[in-house]
Amino acid sequence: MEAPHSPAAETATNSTSAARPTSAARLPVESPEQMQELGRRLAKLLRAGDLVMLTGELGAGKTTLTRGLGEGLGVRGAVTSPTFVIARVHPSLTGGPALVHVDAYRLGGGLDEMEDLDLDVSLPESVVVVEWGVGKVEDLSDDRLQVLIHRMVGDTDDDRREVTLTGFGARWAMVDLMALGA
């Protein structure tokens, strides 16, 4: 089974070639429920100031993963795709960081166009998750986690995915992303 070639995957690979990854993991995901569970496990590693960039084709599972992040972070409100509102803020119910969930799909420019969202202001006290953020938000932080979701092809059903997590910067250098697959 191999992941299909997609422009999103190519963009994600090309945009990070200048920065050096400090940690990485590839994890198989068999169902939407497992994708959500991966989000819950990943939430345990996240803290205020973390930037998470999600890449994958439409329907790959970006919002499903983010829903699990929201559950794991203990935030208020249903985590749904912010496609039409661009960004949603989910305050913490547990005293932890808020979740700022952004969908940059319809935003064409780089960080300049994102400036109106005040992500640079939100980032220090929140976990900021940006769908379709490659090429748009990398300048927010030297430390970021990039999540690439590939649909599996071949002798399989439509729910199978391979999730590649790549940490950049000192924040992710000592994080064992492979432990998320356990």
Side-chain angles (χ1 to χ4, degrees):
M1 286 167 261
E2 62 184 71
H5 172 76
S6 76
E10 186 174 308
T11 301
T13 303
N14 292 340
S15 72
T16 58
S17 59
R20 293 185 184 259
T22 55
S23 62
R26 276 194 173 156
L27 307 171
V29 174
E30 305 291 327
S31 67
E33 295 78 21
Q34 281 188 5
M35 185 69 76
Q36 201 161 334
E37 176 58 28
L38 176 59
R40 286 190 289 272
R41 289 193 316 266
L42 178 57
K44 293 176 184 176
L45 299 177
L46 297 176
R47 60 185 186 208
D50 282 342
L51 173 63
V52 180
M53 298 168 41
L54 303 179
T55 303
E57 59 194 50
L58 289 171
K62 297 178 296 296
T63 299
T64 301
L65 179 73
T66 306
R67 189 171 299 119
L69 289 173
E71 290 174 8
L73 291 170
V75 300
R76 185 178 72 213
V79 175
T80 59
S81 178
T83 299
F84 298 105
V85 296
I86 309 299
R88 293 185 197 277
V89 177
H90 299 274
S92 176
L93 295 171
T94 63
L99 171 67
V100 178
H101 183 199
V102 179
D103 186 330
Y105 183 77
R106 294 185 304 140
L107 302 178
L111 194 55
D112 290 340
E113 189 173 349
M114 301 287 286
E115 206 169 88
D116 289 339
L117 298 176
D118 287 331
L119 294 181
D120 55 337
V121 173
S122 300
L123 187 58
E125 70 269 356
S126 305
V127 171
V128 176
V129 177
V130 183
E131 296 185 27
W132 306 98
V134 172
K136 299 175 184 172
V137 298
E138 288 89 343
D139 290 338
L140 281 175
S141 178
D142 290 335
D143 298 312
R144 64 187 180 277
L145 180 64
Q146 188 163 320
V147 180
L148 177 60
I149 304 172
H150 283 293
R151 287 180 192 241
M152 304 298 278
V153 296
D155 187 22
T156 184
D157 61 30
D158 192 43
D159 288 339
R160 298 201 51 197
R161 307 287 192 260
E162 180 179 76
V163 178
T164 303
L165 301 129
T166 307
F168 293 87
R171 158 73 176 101
W172 295 99
M174 300 307 291
V175 176
D176 181 10
L177 295 172
M178 287 300 295
L180 291 170

